[in-house]
Amino acid sequence: MKRVGYLYEQIMTADNVRKAWENYNAHRPICRRVEFDEARAARILERMKSDFVGVIGRPRVKFIRESGKLRRLQIPAFESCIAQLALWNVCGPFVERRIHDNSYSSRKGKGGHALVRKVQRFVHTKGKAEARYCLYFDISKYYAHIDKRIMIDRLRNIFKDERVIGLFAAVIDSTDQGLSIGYPFSHALANLYLSPLYYLINSIRNISRVWVYMDNWLVFSRFKAPLKRALKSARAYLRGLGCTIKGDWQIFPTASRAVKVCGVRVMSGAADMLYRRLWRRTVRNFARLIRGLGEAELLGMRSRLGWLDLINRRFAPIFNYKGEYLWK
């Protein structure tokens, strides 16, 4: 693909800043939304033009507990978010074109639910042929080990204008180590960073499918040998980037062991279920949520029941596809 130029002027417009503000509010609960202020937006735009590094600033650090481990997030300030979203509104589509279609994390029209449906369909229909064996591996502390210099080189292969590269560099260099999980487009850059690894694994003979969700990889084949070659190639490639594969990698037959993807266990010839602890927690939280609600209110919250509608048909769906309430 050819490199893209002449985007800097599109980024530094009042309409783009307004759109970034709208995107910021669209992804936050009503209580945390910020009403659009034209004067404040104009000040942010002037600062973006004069001192983009100062607008990005340094993020605040927050720790959350997820899946039994402590995860470190770096959260940008409001004006920093607006500046980053303004940059991504214009440049994001060109980055997305360079990312392969089988990367599902934090992408419009994809996501965890879409990946689960893809893996379900593939394992259930191709379990005795193309999906006979599966390789699963996870990259250890992936975001913290992303090389900023290599990331900038990836972006230089997309954008001609050094001013645009300088804007991306300001965002990437604002964190102390690697990429931040809490920034608006860090996941997209992380997808771009490992795109060459996808094409390397996919080029191995007899590899039938490769799917990626964040730093979790699923590789399928009819035979074990191609998966062993894929694992060896992935280790060699990641070693050159300063990353390593976690020790819990597996090569296993899908007929006797479930494929774990985005919290769901998918197994050929068996019902799909959430991981046990996650399922119990989901049911417990759902019971708290519906306590005291009437049927009309329950029908109004159908959009929150994606997981329950997706997994284990013995318990779900709570609503059928016509919106009729099934729990009596």
Side-chain angles (χ1 to χ4, degrees):
M1 292 185 182
K2 293 183 178 180
R3 294 196 300 162
V4 183
Y6 308 108
L7 296 179
Y8 184 83
E9 290 75 13
Q10 298 179 40
I11 297 168
M12 301 298 176
T13 63
D15 288 342
N16 189 37
V17 172
R18 176 187 284 271
K19 183 179 177 181
W21 200 307
E22 292 172 355
N23 291 347
Y24 176 88
N25 284 333
H27 292 86
R28 274 155 184 76
I30 294 176
C31 61
R32 294 182 58 193
R33 293 177 184 176
V34 181
E35 186 177 354
F36 181 74
D37 184 339
E38 191 168 349
R40 187 177 182 184
R43 290 196 297 271
I44 294 173
L45 179 58
E46 288 302 318
R47 288 193 63 198
M48 288 172 57
K49 293 178 178 177
S50 60
D51 183 19
F52 193 84
V53 175
V55 177
I56 298 301
R58 304 294 295 181
R60 65 183 176 89
V61 177
K62 178 182 179 181
F63 291 91
I64 62 171
R65 187 164 293 279
E66 184 181 56
S67 303
K69 62 182 179 181
L70 204 62
R71 190 180 293 276
R72 182 176 183 264
L73 302 182
Q74 299 182 74
I75 312 298
F78 171 73
E79 293 190 357
S80 178
C81 278
I82 299 300
Q84 292 183 46
L85 289 170
L87 171 61
W88 191 248
N89 285 342
V90 176
C91 299
F94 300 103
V95 175
E96 288 289 340
R97 292 175 192 172
R98 303 298 183 99
I99 303 173
H100 56 88
D101 290 337
N102 285 338
S103 180
Y104 275 75
S105 60
S106 301
R107 301 184 71 186
K108 188 175 181 180
K110 295 185 181 291
H113 290 193
L115 179 57
V116 169
R117 288 193 293 269
K118 282 277 187 181
V119 175
Q120 283 174 334
R121 190 179 302 114
F122 184 69
V123 170
H124 292 164
T125 59
K126 307 288 186 179
K128 294 182 179 180
E130 298 177 21
R132 191 174 181 183
Y133 292 97
C134 175
L135 163 65
Y136 164 82
F137 67 87
D138 190 3
I139 301 173
S140 178
K141 297 181 179 179
Y142 170 54
Y143 284 82
H145 286 89
I146 290 177
D147 190 316
K148 297 180 179 182
R149 178 182 54 82
I150 297 176
M151 189 74 258
I152 295 297
D153 288 342
R154 295 269 197 276
L155 293 169
R156 278 202 174 94
N157 292 331
I158 303 174
F159 304 107
K160 295 179 181 179
D161 196 338
E162 283 297 322
R163 294 177 296 176
V164 174
I165 298 297
L167 300 182
F168 276 106
V171 176
I172 294 171
D173 291 337
S174 64
T175 59
D176 53 0
Q177 186 180 19
L179 291 180
S180 169
I181 300 175
Y183 274 28
F185 53 83
S186 289
H187 294 303
L189 295 185
N191 293 336
L192 176 67
Y193 189 74
L194 284 186
S195 285
L197 177 58
Y198 168 83
Y199 293 111
L200 174 64
I201 294 177
N202 202 43
S203 66
I204 296 174
R205 187 177 179 184
N206 291 323
I207 293 293
S208 54
R209 290 290 189 281
V210 183
W211 278 301
V212 187
Y213 188 81
M214 293 188 179
D215 52 352
N216 300 303
W217 291 66
L218 290 172
V219 187
F220 291 92
S221 176
R222 188 177 181 180
F223 310 102
K224 277 188 178 180
L227 299 181
K228 293 179 180 178
R229 291 197 294 271
L231 180 63
K232 183 178 180 181
S233 300
R235 278 178 167 161
Y237 181 83
L238 291 171
R239 194 180 303 119
L241 298 179
C243 299
T244 58
I245 292 176
K246 288 183 180 178
D248 60 350
W249 63 269
Q250 301 177 53
I251 297 178
F252 57 90
T254 57
S256 59
R257 194 180 306 175
V259 179
K260 294 183 178 180
V261 51
C262 299
V264 179
R265 295 170 66 245
V266 179
M267 190 170 179
S268 177
D272 304 323
M273 294 184 66
L274 283 176
Y275 301 165
R276 180 174 296 178
R277 281 184 295 177
L278 185 57
W279 167 252
R280 289 176 178 172
R281 186 173 62 199
T282 302
V283 171
R284 184 172 62 250
N285 291 342
F286 179 71
R288 291 175 184 166
L289 192 64
I290 67 173
R291 189 175 296 138
L293 296 182
E295 188 166 331
E297 294 169 303
L298 288 169
L299 288 172
M301 54 181 286
R302 287 197 303 270
S303 61
R304 300 188 184 184
L305 306 180
W307 279 116
L308 295 176
D309 187 47
L310 179 67
I311 52 96
N312 201 344
R313 301 297 171 171
R314 288 178 296 174
F315 300 99
I318 306 305
F319 298 93
N320 64 14
Y321 290 104
K322 296 179 181 179
E324 297 169 346
Y325 182 51
L326 300 182
W327 273 16
K328 301 295 183 183

